Amino acid sequence: MMEPSMGIKEYAAVLRKRLWLIAACVIVVTFATGIYSYFFTNPSYQAFSKIIVNKSKESKLDLNEVNLNIQLVNTYKEIVLTYTVMDRVVKKHPELGLTADQLIGKIKIGTVNDSQVMTLSTQDRSYDNAIKTVNAVTSVFKETVPTIMSVDNVEILSEAKNAYDVSPNPILNVVIAFIVALMLSVGTAFLLEYLDDTVKSEADITELLGVPTFAVVAVIMRDDLIPQDQKLNKQNLEGSPYATVNS
């Protein structure tokens, strides 16, 4: 029976009592998560490409030009994720097997503050497709910008040559599963203790009735009903190496 106000010793007693439940839950959930993460999930690969925005190839670099280029980066981020660009990617690279809407959902664009560099990235279950997709979008965007902005100020800094395994992360999954299983099993242990209203000890009786316990009736086993002298005779006979037969 769980007391309304418990101390550290009472909490520890509940945990010891339900230790088998906690251990079983943690072991099963952690083991199952590890098996699933290592053997039943497909990896996801991420590839990156970088482009830089310059005002023009002929002009000299100055602070005003850099600030203008930084402002253009935000504009170009929006242009990349348009049907004007993605439709051209679909037509030029049918081997990707993706629609314009799918490309818009797959391509992610990142920038660093006060930087003229844009990073295009995508994730795919296929290592090769991740690289091909991000490079296709990058090259088509570079070709399309002059027709939209009437400027040729985008250069590819680096194309994607490798893709990185970004998910799943089995170790992280196992750690998270361990923590979640531990929290849930501990919570379940205290819930079961709270819902358990059976009387198990003298202390439970005292708490329930509010009166002290004067006597306790012990559990009587079948052997306890046999008189003591008969028990001794039986033990002596069983332990004797000789058998006595009475006629």
Side-chain angles (χ1 to χ4, degrees):
M1 182 178 297
M2 191 170 177
E3 299 179 0
S5 179
M6 298 176 61
I8 296 178
K9 291 184 178 180
E10 287 77 11
Y11 284 116
V14 173
L15 293 178
R16 285 196 302 269
K17 179 180 177 182
R18 307 285 182 179
L19 184 60
W20 62 270
L21 173 65
I22 297 173
C25 289
V26 171
I27 293 173
V28 170
V29 172
T30 304
F31 185 76
T33 302
I35 294 296
Y36 178 79
S37 298
Y38 277 102
F39 300 105
F40 294 96
T41 56
N42 296 320
S44 180
Y45 299 96
Q46 188 171 31
F48 301 88
S49 67
K50 293 181 181 293
I51 58 179
I52 187 170
V53 178
N54 295 307
K55 183 175 180 296
S56 65
K57 295 180 180 179
E58 293 80 11
S59 61
K60 295 181 179 180
L61 187 65
D62 58 34
L63 183 59
N64 292 330
E65 180 180 343
V66 171
N67 290 332
L68 177 60
N69 292 338
I70 293 173
Q71 295 176 9
L72 286 174
V73 167
N74 294 324
T75 301
Y76 288 163
K77 287 171 61 178
E78 299 299 323
I79 293 176
V80 173
L81 300 178
T82 60
Y83 289 104
T84 301
V85 175
M86 296 306 181
D87 283 337
R88 294 188 180 186
V89 176
V90 172
K91 293 178 181 179
K92 191 172 181 179
H93 299 275
E95 72 276 5
L96 297 177
L98 299 172
T99 65
D101 289 323
Q102 289 173 329
L103 285 170
I104 292 174
K106 288 174 69 70
I107 296 295
K108 307 298 179 184
I109 305 173
T111 57
V112 180
N113 292 336
D114 300 330
S115 172
Q116 299 171 239
V117 178
M118 296 169 52
T119 301
L120 279 67
S121 66
T122 187
Q123 290 189 25
D124 198 281
R125 295 294 184 185
S126 169
Y127 178 92
D128 293 332
N129 284 347
I131 297 174
K132 292 177 180 178
T133 300
V134 74
N135 285 340
V137 173
T138 302
S139 61
V140 171
F141 171 68
K142 180 179 181 298
E143 297 169 0
T144 307
V145 165
T147 63
I148 299 176
M149 302 289 292
S150 299
V151 290
D152 186 10
N153 59 349
V154 174
E155 294 293 332
I156 300 176
L157 284 179
S158 62
E159 292 185 338
K161 298 184 182 298
N162 298 297
Y164 304 92
D165 189 350
V166 293
S167 68
N169 188 335
I171 297 178
L172 179 61
N173 291 346
V174 168
V175 172
I176 293 175
F178 175 83
I179 295 174
V180 173
L182 181 61
M183 294 174 61
L184 291 178
S185 58
V186 169
T188 302
F190 282 107
L191 178 61
L192 292 175
E193 188 68 17
Y194 177 77
L195 297 176
D196 185 4
D197 57 358
T198 58
V199 177
K200 296 183 175 67
S201 65
E202 297 87 341
D204 292 340
I205 297 175
T206 301
E207 179 185 352
L208 182 64
L209 301 179
V211 295
T213 303
F214 292 103
V216 177
V217 178
V219 177
I220 300 176
M221 307 300 293
R222 182 181 297 273
D223 290 343
D224 295 332
L225 299 177
I226 302 175
Q228 187 65 26
D229 56 345
Q230 294 184 15
K231 287 185 181 180
L232 293 175
N233 292 334
K234 183 179 179 180
Q235 292 175 359
N236 292 333
L237 290 174
E238 291 177 349
S240 174
Y242 302 101
T244 304
V245 178
N246 296 323
S247 58

